[in-house]
Amino acid sequence: MGTATAGYVHGYSTDEARRLGDQANTLAELLHDGTSYPPGSSVLEVGCGVGAQTVHLVTANPGARFVAVDISESSLAAARARVAAEAPEALVEWHRAVLFDHVFLCFVLEHLREPERALAGLQRVLRPGGTITVIEGDHGSAFYHPASARAQAAIDCLVQLQAAAGGDALIGRQLQPLLTGAGYREVVVRPCTVYADQTRPELVDGFTLNTFIAMVEAVGDAALAAGLTTSADWQRGIDDLRSTADHDGTFHYTFFKAAALKSH
């Protein structure tokens, strides 16, 4: 599509692949509620990564035919293996097709230098009346108890690193104007909120610790190398973030899910 791609700030390590799996499994019901594709329809998943979301898509839509693409060969290999192991009957092709009834993107736009241009380009692979579904997070929506300026500074390091790489960790709030600007119609955006406290231990473990804090913690070396923090301040920030997962801690985060139609 001729759109410049920013660096993937989270990296391609085994730990990151595991984090993506934890994230997808923990948030599957929240993020995929209302997303369904009829049997026989063709769906393009852009930026499938290690297949963490693909598994949930194909399981929920057994009659649809999926084409999954990603820029990383190693991620595609991992995605093939994951789907083969967890959904062996799924109808998934790992190569490019011409036109699709639906396009699905999850956590992709945040890593692109020109997300609106990318969205506009995807209209070329959609059939007339085709739909696009986009899911993105927004790190500015992270609210937690106990409040901590040091924890917020650690989160801000991730936001700054992603911006320096050409991405945008605050893109969730922009989905409506981005899709509208890219020429889509009937754009509808809804918030998907995660709230975790001691009464929801599966979310404390699956999201607060193993998704969000793990994601922030993983950029520590990069933040230090960029001079965004000191070792002492970074560790204090991570410790304060981890305190939100204690028995008296709470954590809130909002994802944004958009759906729209091809303009013509």
Side-chain angles (χ1 to χ4, degrees):
M1 289 177 293
T3 298
T5 303
Y8 184 62
V9 69
H10 309 304
Y12 295 94
S13 67
T14 301
D15 287 343
E16 173 61 7
R18 185 182 304 111
R19 185 191 72 81
L20 290 171
D22 288 340
Q23 174 178 253
N25 294 339
T26 301
L27 301 175
E29 183 176 353
L30 175 71
L31 297 185
H32 295 291
D33 178 50
T35 300
S36 63
Y37 304 115
S41 63
S42 56
V43 185
L44 172 64
E45 184 191 7
V46 179
C48 67
V50 297
Q53 302 293 338
T54 315
V55 167
H56 293 285
L57 286 171
V58 300
T59 301
N61 302 277
R65 295 181 177 275
F66 289 84
V67 172
V69 299
D70 196 272
I71 62 171
S72 168
E73 287 295 336
S74 61
S75 292
L76 278 174
R80 290 189 191 96
R82 183 187 294 268
V83 171
E86 299 185 32
E89 303 302 317
L91 302 174
V92 184
E93 298 177 12
W94 306 96
H95 59 80
R96 193 167 185 172
V98 181
L99 288 178
F100 297 86
D101 302 301
H102 312 284
V103 170
F104 177 89
L105 298 87
C106 188
F107 311 143
V108 174
L109 297 184
E110 63 170 308
H111 301 295
L112 303 183
R113 296 184 186 276
E114 299 177 279
E116 186 174 310
R117 184 180 175 192
L119 289 170
L122 286 172
Q123 294 221 36
R124 296 198 297 271
V125 300
L126 270 174
R127 299 184 189 279
T131 70
I132 184 169
T133 300
V134 183
I135 300 174
E136 292 290 347
D138 190 316
H139 295 351
S141 71
F143 301 108
Y144 40 85
H145 174 79
S148 165
R150 295 178 298 200
Q152 188 59 51
I155 296 171
D156 289 344
C157 284
L158 173 55
V159 174
Q160 293 175 66
L161 286 169
Q162 194 156 340
D168 188 348
L170 309 177
I171 202 167
R173 66 190 76 176
Q174 304 170 47
L175 291 187
Q176 194 279 335
L178 282 171
L179 283 161
T180 300
Y184 292 87
R185 58 188 175 89
E186 298 184 31
V187 180
V188 177
V189 181
R190 65 179 178 90
C192 302
T193 299
V194 181
Y195 172 75
D197 63 24
Q198 63 174 331
T199 68
R200 300 176 174 186
E202 72 284 355
L203 287 175
V204 172
D205 184 60
F207 184 75
T208 305
L209 288 171
N210 293 335
T211 294
F212 190 84
I213 295 176
M215 173 179 62
V216 175
E217 195 168 12
V219 303
D221 289 344
L224 291 170
L228 299 177
T229 186
T230 66
S231 295
D233 286 344
W234 178 258
Q235 190 56 56
R236 283 192 286 264
I238 295 300
D239 289 344
D240 284 359
L241 269 179
R242 287 189 167 277
S243 73
T244 68
D246 291 344
H247 72 280
D248 58 349
T250 66
F251 198 92
H252 165 282
Y253 189 92
T254 301
F255 296 92
F256 294 85
K257 182 175 183 177
L261 298 179
K262 182 177 179 177
S263 57
H264 55 77

